[in-house]
Amino acid sequence: ILNVEQSPQSLHVQEGDSTNFTCSFPSSNFYALHWYRWETAKSPEALFVMTLNGDEKKKGRISATLNTKEGYSYLYIKGSQPEDSATYLCAFKGGGSYIPTFGRGTSLIVHP
Amino acid sequence: ETGVTQSPTHLIKTRGQQVTLRCSSQSGHNTVSWYQQALGQGPQFIFQYYREEENGRGNFPPRFSGLQFPNYSSELNVNALELDDSALYLCASSPGGGGNSGANVLTFGAGSRLTVL
């Protein structure tokens, strides 16, 4: 069983704050790390696909970094807005399987 | 381009009953995966179908079974429902099939919420 951990479990921030959270995964046999955003009552949507150690991806105010050697990825949100409120899931592909293993997610609530 | 659609969105069953959940994959996607998300947990992999064959299975008992049809749509069947089967069931499609690359992301439906009483 692959262990994919996300922290914190939940986060409350004020509009305009910058924030970050972590996804930890096995550091061996790495294929890819995906980030998804899941808004309430909607479908999870892919944010980033990260495949190489040192990868940095950016989409607007959201960015992500990847360290496969130590087994972690950070997701950063700069200047949080209420519409950023969602659960952010990471999914690890590796350990001999291309089937993604999900973390429990980080629930972000941005207060106006 | 249509996304992934799931039906029904909500349903209530009693213990011991059977349930069938349905999923239409995104156009151009030939692989369908099913996930169970219980309260407070991340999505747990149930199984994946590619070209109408099961292509990987998570740690779920045989009473969880599935089908994939020639148009790549899929069904999840659960027999002898238990209270712990209450969860959100997510269907996701992807391109690529059996040799999934690391880069292939999943396109999810909005889920079917099952309550077992």
Side-chain angles (χ1 to χ4, degrees):
Chain A
I1 296 178
L2 299 172
N3 198 26
V4 180
E5 300 285 344
Q6 289 189 248
S7 63
Q9 187 174 337
S10 65
L11 199 52
H12 290 249
V13 301
Q14 291 297 126
E15 183 175 355
D17 287 350
S18 294
T19 187
N20 66 86
F21 23 93
T22 306
C23 173
S24 302
F25 50 85
S27 57
S28 59
N29 295 323
F30 176 87
Y31 296 151
L33 193 285
H34 299 171
W35 282 99
Y36 292 83
R37 176 168 60 197
W38 193 359
E39 296 179 67
T40 302
K42 295 187 178 179
S43 313
E45 291 186 344
L47 275 175
F48 300 119
V49 176
M50 312 186 81
T51 56
L52 296 174
N53 185 43
D55 257 357
E56 293 189 23
K57 301 277 180 152
K58 187 175 181 182
K59 183 182 287 189
R61 293 178 291 98
I62 304 177
S63 60
T65 61
L66 178 68
N67 184 324
T68 61
K69 294 184 178 180
E70 296 182 37
Y72 65 84
S73 176
Y74 293 141
L75 189 79
Y76 300 91
I77 302 179
K78 184 178 178 181
S80 302
Q81 299 296 310
E83 58 265 31
D84 296 329
S85 298
T87 295
Y88 292 83
L89 291 166
C90 67
F92 166 77
K93 288 189 179 184
S97 173
Y98 284 113
I99 292 173
T101 299
F102 284 83
R104 293 188 181 192
T106 293
S107 172
L108 174 66
I109 297 175
V110 182
H111 298 279
Chain B
E1 178 180 275
T2 58
V4 175
T5 57
Q6 292 187 242
S7 63
T9 53
H10 295 83
L11 70 168
I12 300 173
K13 292 284 187 178
T14 57
R15 204 167 38 176
Q17 286 189 309
Q18 178 266 342
V19 68
T20 297
L21 308 178
R22 295 178 175 84
C23 171
S24 295
S25 60
Q26 178 165 308
S27 175
H29 288 185
N30 56 18
T31 302
V32 173
S33 303
W34 286 92
Y35 286 81
Q36 180 197 67
Q37 192 193 27
L39 199 62
Q41 304 293 319
Q44 298 294 311
F45 174 70
I46 303 175
F47 42 56
Q48 181 184 86
Y49 277 83
Y50 169 63
R51 291 186 176 176
E52 303 177 57
E53 297 283 335
E54 190 178 285
N55 185 42
R57 189 178 182 93
N59 190 27
F60 281 80
R63 58 190 186 83
F64 285 77
S65 63
L67 286 172
Q68 187 180 31
F69 299 99
N71 66 355
Y72 305 127
S73 66
S74 178
E75 285 182 356
L76 164 66
N77 298 290
V78 187
N79 293 323
L81 284 167
E82 300 177 0
L83 297 179
D84 285 349
D85 295 334
S86 295
L88 181 70
Y89 288 85
L90 292 165
C91 170
S93 70
S94 58
N100 275 321
S101 77
N104 283 344
V105 294
L106 300 175
T107 300
F108 281 92
S112 294
R113 182 159 304 277
L114 171 65
T115 301
V116 182
L117 302 176

